[in-house]
């Protein structure tokens, strides 16, 4: 499955890769969910959610903000309100982008609220609501990743 980037997406992804290299972060950037579905279907999408494999969105946001010279919006984790993710949103080249870490969720028998931790792409894909929303676009390799083994097939039947 091939994804064609528009010029704005290319600029954004090139910026992320250059920050990764400049600061020797060793990150893999994966676009998650709806953007991948839409692009695979040949549609444009403005819903870019970047999942990070080794740090939170807010942590990566510090590097990004240094590079672009302006602040993004950090949303702190708040477990008391079932908000376990620390994310960052910023507008790059006219495009709003959300940064969040890949995650796994496990449930404690004493609560309905999941305990979140940084997870693998496989764990993150398996916790998603639909197989087509579990697809990732790996910015580093330019490839679509289907960790459930069902997302690409289900998308092709749409």
């Amino acid at each position: 499955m091939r994804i064609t980037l528009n010029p704005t997406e290319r600029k954004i992804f090139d910026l992320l890769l250059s920050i990764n290299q400049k600061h020797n972060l060793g990150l893999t950037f994966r676009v998650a969910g709806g953007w991948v579905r839409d692009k695979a279907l040949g549609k444009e999408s403005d819903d870019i959610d970047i999942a990070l494999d080794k740090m939170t969105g807010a942590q990566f946001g510090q590097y990004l903000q240094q590079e672009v010279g302006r602040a993004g919006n950090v949303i702190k984790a708040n477990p008391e309100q079932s908000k376990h993710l620390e994310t960052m949103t910023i507008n790059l080249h006219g495009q709003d982008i959300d940064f969040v870490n890949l995650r796994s969720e496990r449930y404690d028998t004493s609560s309905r609220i999941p305990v979140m931790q940084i997870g693998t792409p496989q764990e993150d894909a398996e916790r998603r609501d639909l197989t087509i929303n579990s697809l990732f676009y790996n910015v580093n390799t330019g490839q679509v990743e289907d960790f459930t083994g069902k997302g690409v097939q289900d998308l092709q039947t749409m």
Side-chain angles (χ1 to χ4, degrees):
M1 174 173 295
R2 183 141 172 81
I3 300 268
T4 302
L5 303 179
N6 66 38
T8 300
E9 293 161 344
R10 172 57 48 212
K11 282 196 277 190
I12 292 166
F13 296 165
D14 285 348
L15 173 64
L16 301 179
L17 293 171
S18 72
I19 293 169
N20 195 28
Q21 183 176 15
K22 178 179 179 179
H23 296 280
N24 198 30
L25 300 175
L27 292 172
T28 301
F29 301 97
R30 289 180 170 89
V31 186
W35 181 90
V36 182
R37 176 200 63 230
D38 291 348
K39 295 294 283 190
L41 292 172
K43 300 176 183 178
E44 287 300 313
S45 179
D46 62 358
D47 182 24
I48 300 178
D49 299 323
I50 307 280
L52 307 167
D53 61 346
K54 296 181 183 173
M55 64 178 62
T56 68
Q59 289 168 327
F60 177 71
Q62 294 173 1
Y63 295 99
L64 181 59
Q65 291 170 124
Q66 267 182 331
E67 202 65 33
V68 300
R70 61 186 155 71
N73 182 29
V74 173
I75 300 133
K76 296 282 187 191
N78 187 350
E80 291 77 34
Q81 294 185 1
S82 300
K83 176 78 173 121
H84 298 278
L85 297 175
E86 187 172 58
T87 63
M88 201 268 302
T89 300
I90 193 167
N91 187 288
L92 298 172
H93 303 292
Q95 175 70 56
D96 289 330
I97 304 174
D98 296 329
F99 291 89
V100 66
N101 56 275
L102 291 170
R103 61 192 183 271
S104 68
E105 296 174 345
R106 65 177 173 75
Y107 289 85
D108 186 313
T109 56
S110 65
S111 175
R112 295 181 310 144
I113 299 170
V115 176
M116 189 284 303
Q117 58 192 23
I118 291 180
T120 66
Q122 180 79 42
E123 291 168 326
D124 194 278
E126 288 175 353
R127 62 160 201 83
R128 292 183 178 265
D129 59 345
L130 298 168
T131 58
I132 59 174
N133 286 340
S134 69
L135 295 171
F136 293 108
Y137 174 78
N138 185 318
V139 173
N140 301 58
T141 66
Q143 300 295 312
V144 172
E145 299 172 327
D146 183 1
F147 289 96
T148 67
K150 299 174 185 173
V152 170
Q153 179 182 345
D154 289 348
L155 188 63
Q156 290 171 341
T157 63
M158 291 183 71

